[in-house]
Amino acid sequence: MAGISRIEPALTEEQRMISETARSYARRRLAPGAAERDRTGRFPIEEFFELAELGLVAMKVPASEGGTGIDNVGYALAMEAIAEACASTAVILASSNLASKILSEHASPEQKARWLAPYAEGKLGPASFALSEPACGSDAAALTTAARLDGGNWVLNGSKMWITSGAHAGLHVVFARSDGPGPAGISCFVVERGTPGLVIGKEESKMGKRASGTVALNFEECRLPASNLVGARGAGYAIALSALGAGRVGIAALSIGLAEAALAAGVAYGRERRAFGKALTEFQNTQFVLADCRTELDAAWLLALRAARLLDSGDKAPAETSMAKLFASEACGRIVDKMVQLHGGYGYSRDYEVERLYRDARITRIYEGTSEVQRLVISRALLDGSLSS
Ligand SMILES: Cc1cc2nc3c(=O)[nH]c(=O)nc-3n(C[C@H](O)[C@H](O)[C@H](O)COP(=O)(O)OP(=O)(O)OC[C@H]3O[C@@H](n4cnc5c(N)ncnc54)[C@H](O)[C@@H]3O)c2cc1C
């Protein structure tokens, strides 16, 4: 908390509180088991229920709908604190908050009573956000999972890929093609756990974030009541993009938390390890590396906080949220790499935290929009004049 006060002195009491609540829980309950979960792939389901009790699983849901209604600055602070302790748990929270934000913004009052209230109370476990498919991720408008109306029911057929928490989620927010080609043909649906025709794929064996339970979801004549359509028919793509825009601040903050952990590990190791009669931190090379990392992290924070504030003011800020995600995730990659280097051979060993952080960091440049997609959004805004050149 002392660090963030130097970067952003004007935090509200509520923002400080959410940050402190998340950090104290994360250090006590998430950090000690993070290495073991990485090794075994155990999904932190008990921890998820505890996070629900702390109000951290429905941060984007207003209090009137059972959530905690935290603003985007508070959300970023909480996400950073969780990721510092366990990046897998942070991405579970990020995708679950994304799915619940969609329900909060687009579900009908009846749908909110049915799904959102029990979700926010922690009764359903995580929610998943299912957009990507085996043949398309960045080009999500090309998705092919089909939704057809049949006797008053929606019937889904197709596959979703890389779905965080997919095997553990109580409900899935799924995007499928209901009305012909292009973005306007996509609608948003809720598929509840256990719905016949929903077949959960095997868990992916991943480089990092190994406890985040990533699976494919297959729909085989999966029949849903007509009332499981969320928002207007054909509005699914706009719903997904709008949620992802705001979600990028969360991934920026997650990247910052992960890099903060790597930098702290590097400083501690550099103070201990001696070479040529000195601690590593006495070499000017080490000092300059650490100075560059701290500077990049503070810059990443400032971009993330700017984007969060713009969102809080009602501005969708597509370019600024993309800049925050692009810069923070790329800086995170550079920082974990430098901290592995600072550890020498030990940095390559599973016995040292930086080895896991190095693997966990890599995906931040890929999910919720690759770095290239963020650059497309930023350059589009620059060239159409909505960002000044
Ligand atoms: C661990 C993990 C968790 C995930 N969780 C979820 C989840 O919960 N829900 C979900 O829906 N998805 C999830 N994803 C999917 C993720 O969002 C996609 O992997 C990501 O959007 C990229 O899509 P892709 O893998 O299809 O790559 P592609 O879109 O095929 O891209 C491949 C490469 O081409 C580049 N590229 C593509 N288009 C362009 C272009 N126009 N210009 C320049 N370069 C381009 C990309 O930047 C990338 O480098 C997850 C993925 C992983 C690995």
Side-chain angles (χ1 to χ4, degrees), residues 95 129-133 136-139 161-164 206 214 363 366-370 372-373 376:
S95 68
F129 171 85
L131 178 65
S132 303
E133 296 190 351
C136 68
S138 306
D139 185 13
M161 181 81 186
W162 307 117
I163 307 308
T164 300
K206 306 192 302 276
T214 312
I363 187 62
I366 296 174
Y367 58 27
E368 294 212 19
T370 64
E372 292 73 27
V373 166
L376 285 176

Side-chain angles (χ1 to χ4, degrees), residues 148 166 257 287 367:
R148 70 167 204 279
Q287 294 162 3
Y367 58 27

Side-chain angles (χ1 to χ4, degrees), residues 74-100:
Y75 177 69
L77 293 166
M79 197 53 72
E80 183 269 340
I82 300 290
E84 185 199 50
C86 177
S88 284
T89 308
V91 71
I92 292 164
L93 270 190
S95 68
S96 209
N97 274 290
L98 192 69
S100 55

Side-chain angles (χ1 to χ4, degrees), residues 160-164 166-167 200-204 213-217:
K160 295 290 167 184
M161 181 81 186
W162 307 117
I163 307 308
T164 300
I200 310 285
K202 72 164 178 50
E203 187 152 336
E204 300 296 334
T214 312
V215 295
L217 301 180

